[in-house]
Each structure stands twice: as structure tokens, then as C-alpha cells.
Amino acid sequence: MLTFFLSIGLLIVGYLIYSKVVERIFVINDQTTTPAYTNQDGIDYSPMPWWKASLIQLLNIAGLGPIFGAVAGALYGPVAFIWIVLGCIFAGAVHDYFSGMMSLRHNGAQFPSLVGRYLGQAMKMFINVVTIILMVLVAAAFTAGPAQLISSLTPLSYTVALIGIFIYFLIAAVLPINRIIGRIYPIFGAILIFMAVSIAIALVATDQSIPNLTLENLHPGDLPIWPLLMVTISCGAISGFHSTQSPILARTIKKESDGRKVFYGAMIAEGIIALIWAAAGMTFFGGTGGLQEALATGGPGGVVNEISVSLLGTLGGILAILGVIILPITTGDTALRSSRMMVTELFNKYFKVRGLKGIFLTTIPVTIPAFYLATIDYTFLWRYVGGTNQLVATVMLWTGAIYLLQARRFHWICGIPALFMTAVVSTYFLYAPEGLALSYNLSLLIGAIITTIVALWYVVKIKKSKQRFIENENVDHVA
């Protein structure tokens, strides 16, 4: 249990100290008028109090991610705590902060536009496709489950429930952010926090034996920790999906100093939620073997329901139902909203997207494929969400690193986690069944080679940046 409390303490210290380091390196200016005011349109650009934006950001980036992912990652044992803490403080929260604050600095730009500005147009085209695919996969995967649960609890069929959810998606995606998201989602964000804190208190109060740190791989299926743990637990440590959500709130920030609380702070809160559910998963069922059996029987939803009802009684049952139905729906909703914004940026190159009609036209292209995927066997979607998600996270970290490099600031705060995630993603796609399915040792070797090549590219970028700086100084000196 000591490891559990120490991990939570480290996350809090990470916010209190490291978030300020990151903010200082980014260099904020509260005298700068934010896009929430300069572009105020009553739809996407609308000033919002930081506390409300923080709760919405938490709900948008979390949903059931830090619950389901943490429960699955708990199969590896207490080593999952290390990844959640270090990943969250030094990679995930940094990733979220830069994706939000760079968007704010660039007039509320979407993630692919930021990539194009700092990594080139070819990478922008690639990441545009990858990111929109990720949004479609997330929307489909995060709504099929709730539709199934609704159909089991009500007279509605699965198809009717799914249609109802997607009608809500269309409405929520086109309405002004303050109509539904700004009013209701902070309440759901508070429910997510309350649910996790209640589970934590119940674990301690019932004297559950939360295991202490061990580097031993306790996965019953003997799956390797590297790189699978880093993909299994994404939302609680680092998740590329967050870079698609941060621009939504970047368009509502009142002043730049709010960014640390909204972006870095929400990620730390998500890390704490992930820690709690990882602890519950590896404790409640008497070890990782029992957890694997529970996952095989009822899936992550069944595991969450059993833990909640057993530890919290009737309240737990209500929270579990709310969580499994509402939280993923809110994630799917904002996934389509952010993809609508990306499609709008693409369309605006050729013709201006204006009014409600234009908003609908840019929402439909991503809604239709998401609905179709949700009508088929959606379980295979999860195999592709994880790797794609971390690929997007890696690209965002590199975007932040080049941004800082060009600004002559300490770029390593993004560069080091970017290199780490490059190794994770390259090895994962080589080894995973949905990738090339190579042998583990061969995947490690090729992954190391790819990471080395990327590292050399980074070194070249650093040298060129220094050379340009020297040349500019010489020109200024002569002038």
C-alpha cells in the first residue's frame, strides 16, 4: 500500500513543481488576448472559467480510458504504477500542455495544423489521415459498449440505442460549446473524480492489500512489459487522443496562465484516477491471475461493475452504470467534435465553411464511418486504437520539441519523452499482431535502429538550429 500512496504523492508533487517548470520554459504572457476573445463566435470560441474548462478537459481526455486501460494494465502488476507516474508527469502532462498551449498561441489551431507548421506539410498530410481515423475508431469503440448496455437494461434494441447515441453526437457536435458541453460535462467530470476517490477510500477502509512495488512481470499470459504496458495504459500516462481534445478547450481559455491548470492539471488528475483503478484491479481479485479470469468472463466493464458494487454497494452500481454508459459517450461526442474541426480546417483551404449547414457538412463525413464501425463486431477496433493513439502522441511530442528548438528554449522536455515514445511505437507496430507480428527479439532490434535514426535526425535539427542562431547573431552584429 505504501507504493500506492507514494505514487499519488509523486503525481501531486509533479503538478506542484514540474508543471511550473514546463510553464516557465513555454513562457506565458497573461497580457496576450486569447483566441476565446479575439475569435469569439459563440460556437467553438467562447471564454470559460478555468475550473469549468479543467473538468471538461478531464472528461474529454478521460472517459473510461484511465479506468479500462488501467484495469488491463494492472495485469502486469505494481510495475504499472511506475509507468503511470513517470509517464504522466514527464510525458503525458507535457504532451497535453503543449498541445493545448501551442493551439492557443496559433489561434486555436487543430493538432494537424500544428504538425504541419513545425514538422512539414508531408507529416501534416499523414497525421491528418491518422488522426481522423483515430477519431472515428474512438467514436465507434466508445459508443458500441454503451449501446449494448442500454439495450440490455431497456426495451430498446442495440440498433435503436446506437442511433439515439449518434443523433445526440450530431446535436452536441454542432451546438455552441456552452450549450451542452459547458453546462453538463463539468458535472460528469466531477462524477468521474468522485467515483475514483470513492473506490480509493473503500480500498483503504476495507484493508485491501494493495501490493507494493516490484519490477517483476506478473502478467499471467507472460506478455512482455515493453512496449505493451506503454500502449495498454495510455490515457493514464500519455495519450495522443488528448492532443485532439486540447484545442477544443484552447479556444475557451481566458488567460495563458490558466493553461497549466486546464491541460497539465487535468492530465495529473487522470493519472491519479488510473492509479486508483490499477490498484483496485490488481488487488480486488486476489492478484493478476484472478483479474485475468474476471476480464475473460465479463470484460473490463464487468470488472468495473463488480468492483464498484462490491466496494460501494448500491451507490457503486449506480456509478458503474453511469460510468460505462455516460463517460464513453462523452468521449465519443468530443472525438467527433474535434474531427469536425479538423475537417473544417481542411475544407477551408478550398471554400469557407460557414453557418449551421457548413458545420453539418463537416460533421457527417466522420459520423457515417463511425456509425458503421459501431454496427459490426467492434472488439477488433481496440487493437488499432492503442497503437494509433500512441503514434499520434509521439508526433505531438516531436512537434513540441521542434517548437521549443526554434524558440531557442529547453527543447529536451519534449525531446526526451518523444524519443522514448518513438521506441515504444516502433517496437509495438513491429511486434503486435495488428502490426507486422515479428518475433519479440527482432522487433526490439529493429525498433532500436528506428529510434537511433530518429535520434540522429533530432541531433541534425539541433545543430542546424544552433548554426542559424549563430548566423543571425553575426548578421545583427554587422548591422
Side-chain angles (χ1 to χ4, degrees), residues 436-471:
L436 297 180
L438 301 179
S439 69
Y440 184 61
N441 288 334
L442 183 59
S443 299
L444 290 177
L445 175 61
I446 300 177
I449 293 172
I450 292 173
T451 305
T452 301
I453 293 172
V454 174
L456 291 174
W457 164 82
Y458 189 31
V459 170
V460 171
K461 283 283 187 181
I462 294 171
K463 288 183 177 179
K464 286 183 177 180
S465 177
K466 288 181 179 179
Q467 184 62 35
R468 281 195 298 268
F469 178 72
I470 293 172
E471 290 173 356

Side-chain angles (χ1 to χ4, degrees), residues 179-220:
R179 288 286 179 86
I180 295 179
I181 295 176
R183 293 180 180 178
I184 301 175
Y185 284 24
I187 298 173
F188 293 154
I191 290 174
L192 179 65
I193 295 172
F194 177 76
M195 186 178 182
V197 171
S198 298
I199 292 295
I201 293 173
L203 282 174
V204 175
T206 54
D207 200 25
Q208 298 280 342
S209 181
I210 302 175
N212 283 317
L213 180 62
T214 173
L215 298 181
E216 183 182 358
N217 183 0
L218 301 181
H219 199 293

Side-chain angles (χ1 to χ4, degrees), residues 14 107 154 304 414 470:
N107 217 27
T154 69
V304 170
C414 286
I470 293 172

Side-chain angles (χ1 to χ4, degrees), residues 64 67-68 71 191-192 194-200 202-203 206 208 276-277 280-281 284-285 300-324 327:
L64 284 177
I67 300 177
F68 282 10
V71 166
I191 290 174
L192 179 65
F194 177 76
M195 186 178 182
V197 171
S198 298
I199 292 295
L203 282 174
T206 54
Q208 298 280 342
I276 291 170
W277 281 101
F284 184 81
F285 298 96
V303 167
V304 170
N305 182 69
E306 186 173 349
I307 292 174
S308 300
V309 173
S310 298
L311 293 181
L312 303 177
T314 303
L315 173 63
I318 295 172
L319 289 175
I321 291 174
L322 284 173
V324 175
L327 296 181

Side-chain angles (χ1 to χ4, degrees), residues 6 11 46 101 104 110 178 191 197 209 266 272 275 317 342-343 347 378 416 424 441-442 451-452:
L6 180 60
L11 284 174
S46 183
M101 292 302 292
L104 184 147
Q110 290 297 302
N178 276 325
I191 290 174
V197 171
S209 181
I272 292 174
L275 270 174
M342 293 176 197
V343 173
F347 281 11
Y378 71 93
I416 291 175
V424 168
N441 288 334
L442 183 59
T451 305
T452 301

Side-chain angles (χ1 to χ4, degrees), residues 229-246:
L229 175 61
M230 291 75 193
V231 176
T232 303
I233 301 181
S234 56
C235 284
I238 178 172
S239 168
F241 176 70
H242 299 186
S243 64
T244 69
Q245 302 303 292
S246 293

Side-chain angles (χ1 to χ4, degrees), residues 20-42:
K20 293 181 180 179
V21 173
V22 172
E23 183 183 63
R24 190 173 295 113
I25 291 172
F26 184 82
V27 184
I28 62 168
N29 182 5
D30 277 346
Q31 301 306 311
T32 302
T33 306
T34 64
Y37 294 103
T38 58
N39 290 0
Q40 190 168 357
D41 60 4

